[in-house]
Amino acid sequence: MGNRVGSTSTPVGAQVHIVGGGLAGSEAAWQIASRGVAVVLHEMRPTRTTEAHQTSQLAELVCSNSFRSDDSATNAVGLLHAEMRRCGSLIMRSADANQVPAGGALAVDRDGFSAAVQSALETHPLITLVREEVPGLPPADWTNVVVATGPLTSAPLAAAIMALTGEQSLAFFDAIAPIVYRDSIDLSVAWFQSRYDKAGPGGSGADYINCPLTREQYETFVAALTTGDKAEFREWETNTPYFDGCLPIEVMAERGPETLRHGPMKPVGLTNPHAPGVKPYAVVQLRQDNKLGTLYNIVGFQTKLKHAEQVRILRSIPGLGQAEFARLGGLHRNTFLNSPQLLDGQLRLRREPRLRFAGQMTGCEGYVESASIGLLAGLFAAADALRGTLPLPPPTTALGALLGHVTGGHIETIDAGPRSFQPMNINFGLFPPLASMPKASDGKRLRGPEKALAKKRAITARALADLESWMSDVVREDGADGGPSASERAPAA
Ligand SMILES: Cc1cc2nc3c(=O)[nH]c(=O)nc-3n(C[C@H](O)[C@H](O)[C@H](O)COP(=O)(O)OP(=O)(O)OC[C@H]3O[C@@H](n4cnc5c(N)ncnc54)[C@H](O)[C@@H]3O)c2cc1C
């Protein structure tokens, strides 16, 4: 083990080992050490690197330098920023200190950002940084471990996790189909029905939303797919096979004009109640994606089209003309767990609770989301080390909503087939509905964009109020150990 920094005073049994010094592992280390618990942070770079990382810095941003919107009143990721700041997040503190102009977005100087994270961790007296790969399951005497090795987890560790969990596959092309907000789908055109009215386990027989296409609409759609602008594969991605034969829709369209009509767009077993006498030439189906029923994914529509092209082409589908997307499709190599099955509510592996997971490998997507799950994993791990308990963050907060998605929010697939759990950015569809809809100042019902905005404001206000009371339930006014100051009040373990 080389390059140790810092010293520890916590008894060996109480210290926490973190594997992976990316966005999640760095935040987890900070949260744990801030609560007086010693941390050993194992990061394999520069000894061994990944296909995407370029430096040896902790918390390297592998692609864009943006943390997305910083608007905490009307944007879900902006709300997550606000909640993390209130929890004394190192990632947010370092981002704020290294901000570059980017309109309403929080974008950072990537080198300055990573250097700030690394310096805070290296100089913390309770953190020991070890530059080494953990090439398999962590040793048995590491009793409190956070695994945060990210979408590009090194092969030996990924193989060991696969063997332990019994998963068929961990590293594959993450075939993401677009997800649409349910309330942006036009049900005067689309309708609810399962194929042949089949209920299936957990279903009602009307579990899908169906969008009908005429022959002309279908042919125009297929032509748009074949000529649409596609994102390029990175060199290392070209060697990874497609997962479970999940071909992108544009690749299917290129195989022949009828391919999609015999695949995800087949029109069989469905009757359009808006025009019962007319057989649709093709049908696009959307399947419920979260327990709340606020999000629907477009079945079989994984795609590598550029995002603007996806929006343009998918809105040409009848019923989706005004569709708002919680997530657009994409394909890249990813490593993530089937977390709702494998992890408990505190991110521990059910089969081996000494192993807790954090970051993108738990099934969240994005820098901020990965760091936020690292923050929660850190709080839970510190609580375990101190033999305390930490209540879960309320599901009405962004932290709680994301944790809920990761540890159980997704529904099972209704059809037999590949699992439905897919990585997800934070979005308003993950929050429980409001108890009552906000009204205009004169008491009248709001409509259109005004209503949408008022709803978002009400959800974010509720989130921050609920976060506040969660924090006051568990708060400890400290700061003496280099952790969050009293004004940044963070939940204590
Ligand atoms: C190509 C690509 C582009 C992306 N672009 C974006 C983007 O533009 N915006 C965005 O928000 N998100 C993007 N993401 C997602 C992004 O990776 C995650 O959001 C974020 O970095 C994940 O954080 P993490 O801490 O889970 O993993 P990482 O930040 O990847 O950290 C994992 C760390 O674990 C280390 N590690 C791996 N295996 C081992 C081992 N066995 N032992 C010790 N250390 C190990 C790695 O070296 C790495 O430092 C992209 C992902 C990829 C793969």
Side-chain angles (χ1 to χ4, degrees), residues 267-338:
V268 300
L270 296 164
T271 305
N272 180 355
H274 306 300
V278 184
K279 183 112 189 93
Y281 190 71
V283 172
V284 172
Q285 286 203 303
L286 295 98
R287 179 171 50 215
Q288 189 174 332
D289 198 83
N290 64 341
K291 265 187 190 147
L292 297 170
T294 50
L295 301 174
Y296 275 73
N297 67 65
I298 312 185
V299 180
F301 265 43
Q302 52 279 354
T303 172
K304 214 168 156 52
L305 286 169
K306 288 198 168 151
H307 282 180
E309 285 289 80
Q310 289 186 41
V311 173
R312 181 179 69 80
I313 296 171
L314 294 173
R315 284 193 180 150
S316 74
I317 296 169
L320 300 187
Q322 304 294 322
E324 293 295 333
F325 296 90
R327 184 187 74 190
L328 285 160
L331 286 166
H332 62 76
R333 190 165 92 77
N334 200 355
T335 302
F336 67 97
L337 298 169
N338 189 2

Side-chain angles (χ1 to χ4, degrees), residues 7-16 32-33 35-39 125-127 385-386:
S7 62
T8 61
S9 52
T10 319
V12 168
Q15 74 186 5
V16 181
I32 295 165
R35 276 148 197 86
V37 176
V39 175
L126 287 176
I127 297 176
L386 297 170

Side-chain angles (χ1 to χ4, degrees), residues 19-26 42-45 48-50 52-53 57-66 68 132-136 148-154 156-157 234 236-237 332-333 358-361 365-371 425:
V19 189
L23 275 298
S26 297
H42 306 257
E43 168 53 54
M44 69 177 181
R45 290 174 293 119
R48 185 177 287 266
T49 192
T50 76
H53 287 85
Q57 294 279 58
L58 299 178
E60 178 182 332
L61 303 177
V62 288
C63 190
S64 121
N65 66 333
S66 173
R68 318 199 312 276
E132 65 170 11
E133 180 187 11
V134 175
T149 43
L152 303 169
T153 293
S154 76
L157 178 57
R234 286 160 182 260
W236 52 270
E237 288 179 321
H332 62 76
R333 190 165 92 77
Q360 180 136 331
M361 63 187 319
E365 174 87 25
Y367 302 144
V368 184
E369 288 84 344
S370 298
N425 286 121

Side-chain angles (χ1 to χ4, degrees), residues 164-253:
L164 177 66
T165 56
E167 291 284 280
Q168 301 279 307
S169 178
L170 268 183
F172 42 73
F173 262 131
D174 177 6
I176 307 181
I179 293 184
V180 181
Y181 288 105
R182 149 86 177 74
D183 59 10
S184 70
I185 301 171
D186 183 355
L187 288 174
S188 68
V189 176
W191 75 98
F192 277 96
Q193 187 187 7
S194 304
R195 235 180 257 288
Y196 302 107
D197 303 311
K198 241 171 50 191
S204 69
D207 301 306
Y208 290 81
I209 294 178
N210 302 282
C211 301
L213 286 89
T214 62
R215 180 176 193 146
E216 195 189 347
Q217 286 165 334
Y218 174 78
E219 286 172 355
T220 308
F221 179 73
V222 169
L225 286 179
T226 51
T227 53
D229 218 359
K230 284 133 201 133
E232 295 302 319
F233 279 99
R234 286 160 182 260
E235 198 187 326
W236 52 270
E237 288 179 321
T238 53
N239 299 324
T240 307
Y242 288 117
F243 173 53
D244 281 352
C246 277
L247 291 177
I249 42 170
E250 59 277 11
V251 173
M252 281 190 260

